[in-house]
Structure formats: structure tokens, C-alpha cells
Amino acid sequence: MTVESTTPRRALRLGVAGPVGTGKSSTIASLCRTLAEEFRIGVITNDIYTDEDAQFLRAEGVLPAERIRAVETGACPHTAIRDDVTMNLLAVEDLERDFDPLDIVLVESGGDNLTATFSPSLVDAQLFVLDVAGGGDVARKGGPGIGRADLLVINKVDLAPYVDVDVDRMLADASAAREGRAVLGVSRKQPETVQALSDWVRELHTAFTAGGHTPQDPGPMAPHFHADEEGEGGYTHSHEEPVSGHSH
């Protein structure tokens, strides 16, 4: 007699990080639109006190609404993707169980600054999103996410003429900062760039399912400052080695 396994199929878990306003949610929306007919996709969003990113994605209609879930971290948005990833791991595993089989789960970090990195105990790979409106020099500033994420996305390249940014120079600077690691210029208004991003995810999924992908750790986030709610002070937050608190 054959006994069917009750363990859900393990999806490829892809983290999406980057500063506020760079277009993480719209990047996820573009990927879902392009890939949803090929892969069963789920999304976990992270915000401190709201589920606004999840609401945006549901309103876009890029996936069945029930496959988009929000985690309200209640603290530094990066803590839940790096220091103690338990709440996100549970959310991912619940999604994989409830909609088994899923092929890809996208985990969106809450936006903050240039320091964000995911723990490899949460995601299998991660992309970091910048945008041209943040300035053409931002890629040169580096940091663990910019330098060592699996892919760096320079987003909103269609806006470059309006903000006096040389996209080719920004991409070259990014490639140099990443020592040749993958960089893509993307605009949701330029289908060929969205296709290139989607092709990268397809190749990653192929490697993952073949057992040929090993999660890499970009290293801990740099110390960064958090203002208090009154805006009159704050504290410097230092992220040490990640603590998973849960096994996947």
C-alpha cells in the first residue's frame, strides 16, 4: 500500500529587499503577472504596523488574493528577515501547506535603508532593489545587500531622463560594486526588462529544483539608526549573526 506524504512540497523562497519607495511591491507584481501561468506563486509581505503592501498586490489582481499574506513585524522591519525569522518562516510554511504545491514564495522585506539582508535560513536567494530616482551614485555606496545579494535590480530606468541619471553608468557602477555579480536594469513599462528579470527567476527555479542552488549569506546588515516615534531621538540598531528560531 502506498502512503501519500502529508509534507507540503518545499517552494523556492525568494527574498526581495531594498529601501522605501524603490518599487519592491511593483517588482513582485511584475514577476507574478509574467510567471503566474508557469508557476504556482505565493507572496509574504512585511510591514511594521500595516498590511498595505499586501493590499496593493491584491488590488493589482496578480495572484488569487488568498495567496498573498502580510506579516506585521511590530519592530525594525529587518529584524524579522535577519535576526529572528520565526514569524516569516511560519508564514511561508503555512502558505506552502495551505496551497500545496507552490513553486515559488516571494518574501518582501519592509523598506528601510541600504543595509537589508535576508537570513539564508529564511530564503534560498535574494534580490535587492534600488531605483534611479534615488540617485545615480547610490549603487556605488555599496553595503551587504547591494554588494552580495544574488541579483541587484536597478528599477524605474524609464525615469532616468527626468532625474538626470545615466543608466549605463549606474549599471556599470553597480556591476563594479558587486564584483561582476548579476545586475539588471528594469522598468515595468519596458516589457523586455521584465522578461529578463523573469528569465533570471526561471533559471534560479530550475537550479533549485535540480538541487544545484546553494543559498548564500550576504552577511549581516550594517548598524543603522532608528528614530523614535516622536522624532526627537532614537537608537543605533546593530544586527549580529542571524537566529532562525525555527528550522526549514
Side-chain angles (χ1 to χ4, degrees):
M1 183 176 71
T2 300
V3 178
E4 293 186 5
S5 172
T6 58
T7 302
R9 186 170 74 188
R10 169 74 157 74
L12 168 68
R13 300 168 183 175
L14 177 60
V16 181
V20 172
T22 55
K24 297 184 295 298
S25 296
S26 64
T27 297
I28 288 174
S30 294
L31 284 172
C32 290
R33 287 191 191 96
T34 306
L35 298 174
E37 292 187 2
E38 300 172 51
F39 302 102
R40 284 176 56 86
I41 302 172
V43 176
I44 302 293
T45 67
N46 277 234
D47 279 302
I48 299 177
Y49 300 121
T50 74
D51 62 351
E52 188 167 329
D53 290 336
Q55 290 182 40
F56 164 79
L57 290 168
R58 292 176 190 133
E60 289 289 296
V62 295
L63 291 176
E66 61 272 16
R67 280 200 253 141
I68 302 169
R69 295 183 179 175
V71 170
E72 295 181 31
T73 63
C76 168
H78 299 157
T79 297
I81 68 166
R82 181 75 198 182
D83 295 341
D84 184 351
V85 301
T86 304
M87 65 174 67
N88 270 303
L89 270 177
L90 289 172
V92 170
E93 290 174 355
D94 285 348
L95 197 64
E96 289 176 342
R97 182 190 64 245
D98 293 346
F99 299 100
D100 184 42
L102 287 179
D103 300 303
I104 300 171
V105 174
L106 299 164
V107 182
E108 179 184 356
S109 168
D112 194 349
N113 52 40
L114 295 175
T115 70
T117 59
F118 285 85
S119 167
S121 63
L122 174 58
V123 299
D124 302 297
Q126 49 195 288
L127 57 87
F128 197 86
V129 183
L130 298 177
D131 73 301
V132 298
D137 63 341
V138 68
R140 296 199 299 269
K141 296 179 179 179
I146 291 175
R148 297 188 294 278
D150 296 87
L151 174 67
L152 178 63
V153 171
I154 306 297
N155 202 21
K156 307 178 188 177
V157 293
D158 58 298
L159 298 181
Y162 306 102
V163 292
D164 296 324
V165 168
D166 182 331
V167 171
D168 290 338
R169 173 67 184 276
M170 190 173 182
L171 291 171
D173 288 345
S175 183
R178 289 173 54 76
E179 298 179 345
R181 295 180 182 90
V183 179
L184 284 176
V186 176
S187 167
R188 63 185 178 86
K189 296 185 177 181
Q190 297 176 1
E192 69 279 7
T193 67
V194 175
Q195 189 62 51
L197 176 60
S198 301
D199 286 343
W200 184 87
V201 174
R202 288 185 182 98
E203 291 173 7
L204 176 66
H205 185 266
T206 297
F208 171 78
T209 54
H213 175 76
T214 302
Q216 301 298 310
D217 188 354
M221 305 173 197
H224 51 279
F225 184 78
H226 286 273
D228 59 26
E229 292 184 6
E230 292 75 27
E232 298 176 353
Y235 63 96
T236 297
H237 189 179
S238 179
H239 295 263
E240 303 299 337
E241 288 302 310
V243 177
S244 70
H246 194 70
S247 172
H248 71 189

